[in-house]
Amino acid sequence: INGFQCDVDSTIAELMLEVVMNESKSKVGELVAVAKSHNESISSEEKSNANAIEKQKNYDRISIFQEITILYARTFTNIFRNKSMFILQLIISILVALGVSGLFHDITDNLAGFQNRSGAFYFTLTFFAFTSFSSIDTFLHERIVFLRESGNQYYNVFSYFLVKTTLDAFLLRVIPVTVYTFVIYWILGLKNTLEAFLLFWTALVVFNMCAGIMTTCISVATFSVGQANLIAAVWFLIMLLFGGFLVNLESIDPGFAWLKYLSIFYYTFEILITNELSDMLISFDAPGYPAIPAYGEVFLAVLGTNIDHQFRNLICLCLLFLGFSVLTCILLLLQVPRSRKNFPRLRYNNHHHDHVVDDDAPEFDA
């Protein structure tokens, strides 16, 4: 060992004692020099590593535009790899549109046509409202990753929210509504003008975007798919009740009437029905009585709707979308841990597919 001969019958420990006691100081000095050089090499490597880490800390933070671009690219990649939800929603929208078209095709301008128009519009709103539940598990499945990455300041909350909201709105809200509208509009025999068609499409798009952001907000505020589904179902049923089709809003108690202003069904249904019935001459052909022609405004008055509210209703829908967007962003911001000590310890429930907080579960690194 380093110039010292070790006998076969001797152990290393005995050799070391012999060297210390009997050998010259120069040999011992050589051993010390070797140890020092080894320690110095280790220290130099540690210093170089520390300098590299310090340089990394001094790197400039990327701009928010670059941040959003990177998140868009990553999210598009994930959607492309898991595009089954987009394809399924598109197929279901086409099939439902064909079903509605077959059921309500060639609507006539009489009492039956008035009922069929109202039913087709309200069914359409109900369909898109409940298909928005597909947004519920988007954040719940990404909660742990989001909290880890945002907590480590890989990106800010606004960038993440903007990317998720815009992609959800375009892929799962705008495209299915557009396909659905092109399938049913002319088959149902609705008002054949470009202005009426564009208003019909715009109202459905904004309605679907509002429904999507509402379900997203509920999913952010809850910690399991079951809780989110229950709250969302009750919320949408309340809005459905005060939409203006199931209940005459002019006849209900004022203590409940104000709930219609929270209903996206109320605003959208008024736009759709006034857009279709205004300036239309409808035959009031009640069974057993002679048919009497009446303008669509008479039927609109019975429903308590007004064509002059169309622009106001669109503005209200946009404000609801903006309000729930801000609320969702705030809820996301409040959940981001301020330090690694505050990172949530979560476990995944394989039986119910839910994320739940587990204070006894061990922490793990992202």
Side-chain angles (χ1 to χ4, degrees):
I1 300 175
N2 288 301
F4 296 99
Q5 299 296 326
C6 181
D7 296 334
V8 177
D9 298 331
S10 301
T11 64
I12 295 177
E14 291 174 343
L15 176 62
M16 294 176 65
L17 289 174
E18 184 179 353
V19 169
V20 174
M21 296 174 61
N22 300 324
E23 292 295 330
S24 62
K25 293 182 180 180
S26 61
K27 290 290 185 180
V28 176
E30 291 178 4
L31 289 174
V32 174
V34 170
K36 286 183 177 180
S37 63
H38 180 66
N39 291 335
E40 289 176 355
S41 64
I42 294 177
S43 299
S44 62
E45 291 179 2
E46 291 178 347
K47 288 180 179 179
S48 62
N49 291 336
N51 292 334
I53 294 174
E54 189 65 26
K55 289 180 179 179
Q56 289 179 353
K57 291 181 179 180
N58 292 331
Y59 285 160
D60 293 334
R61 184 178 178 85
I62 63 174
S63 65
I64 189 170
F65 176 77
Q66 293 174 307
E67 196 172 88
I68 293 174
T69 302
I70 294 172
L71 285 173
Y72 267 123
R74 187 179 76 169
T75 307
F76 263 120
T77 302
N78 292 335
I79 293 174
F80 181 77
R81 291 173 179 171
N82 305 281
K83 50 184 177 293
S84 58
M85 177 58 69
F86 169 70
I87 296 175
L88 179 61
Q89 190 145 349
L90 198 59
I91 292 175
I92 290 177
S93 297
I94 294 174
L95 293 177
V96 172
L98 292 175
V100 172
S101 300
L103 184 62
F104 296 102
H105 70 282
D106 295 330
I107 298 178
T108 56
D109 297 340
N110 54 14
L111 276 179
F114 166 72
Q115 182 180 6
N116 289 340
R117 283 181 175 87
S118 302
F121 294 160
Y122 220 68
F123 174 81
T124 296
L125 297 181
T126 305
F127 166 69
F128 282 114
F130 285 96
T131 55
S132 68
F133 283 23
S134 61
S135 298
I136 285 180
D137 64 345
T138 300
F139 177 74
L140 289 174
H141 286 169
E142 298 181 1
R143 185 189 296 273
I144 296 177
V145 176
F146 165 74
L147 294 179
R148 290 284 171 176
E149 292 180 346
S150 59
N152 284 313
Q153 298 183 354
Y154 293 168
Y155 47 77
N156 61 56
V157 173
F158 174 76
S159 300
Y160 174 85
F161 172 76
L162 179 65
V163 170
K164 288 295 180 182
T165 303
T166 53
L167 287 180
D168 177 85
F170 179 72
L171 296 176
L172 299 181
R173 311 297 156 219
V174 176
I175 294 179
V177 164
T178 302
V179 173
Y180 182 93
T181 302
F182 272 98
V183 171
I184 73 165
Y185 194 85
W186 286 280
I187 297 179
L188 263 61
L190 302 180
K191 187 176 289 187
N192 191 21
T193 64
L194 178 61
E195 181 182 359
F197 171 79
L198 291 178
L199 183 58
F200 182 91
W201 174 80
T202 302
L204 282 185
V205 167
V206 180
F207 170 87
N208 207 17
M209 290 175 61
C210 286
I213 195 62
M214 285 179 176
T215 54
T216 301
C217 182
I218 292 172
S219 70
V220 171
T222 55
F223 285 89
S224 71
V225 175
Q227 293 176 2
N229 274 321
L230 178 60
I231 296 174
V234 173
W235 172 249
F236 277 93
L237 285 175
I238 293 174
M239 291 194 298
L240 186 70
L241 180 61
F242 290 91
F245 180 72
L246 300 178
V247 177
N248 189 298
L249 299 177
E250 301 296 325
S251 62
I252 63 176
D253 189 275
F256 296 99
W258 62 271
L259 290 172
K260 68 181 181 181
Y261 297 113
L262 300 178
S263 173
I264 57 177
F265 290 87
Y266 165 71
Y267 298 112
T268 313
F269 180 70
E270 186 171 28
I271 293 174
L272 298 182
I273 199 68
T274 55
N275 180 55
E276 179 64 21
L277 296 185
S278 61
D279 300 327
M280 178 181 290
L281 191 62
I282 300 175
S283 176
F284 191 89
D285 54 348
Y289 296 91
I292 300 174
Y295 282 101
E297 283 76 6
V298 176
F299 293 86
L300 295 178
V302 173
L303 292 175
T305 56
N306 192 328
I307 190 174
D308 296 330
H309 294 167
Q310 288 181 347
F311 182 74
R312 182 208 69 176
N313 291 342
L314 279 177
I315 295 298
C316 290
L317 287 173
C318 293
L319 290 176
L320 282 173
F321 177 81
L322 181 62
F324 275 92
S325 297
V326 173
L327 179 58
T328 305
C329 195
I330 292 174
L331 291 174
L332 285 173
L333 188 62
L334 292 176
Q335 295 184 30
V336 175
R338 295 296 178 262
S339 64
R340 291 188 62 85
K341 293 181 180 179
N342 295 327
F343 280 171
R345 298 190 294 274
L346 303 177
R347 60 182 173 84
Y348 189 77
N349 189 333
N350 291 324
H351 298 289
H352 299 91
H353 303 287
D354 296 339
H355 292 100
V356 295
V357 178
D358 188 357
D359 293 332
D360 297 325
E363 290 193 32
F364 58 90
D365 293 330

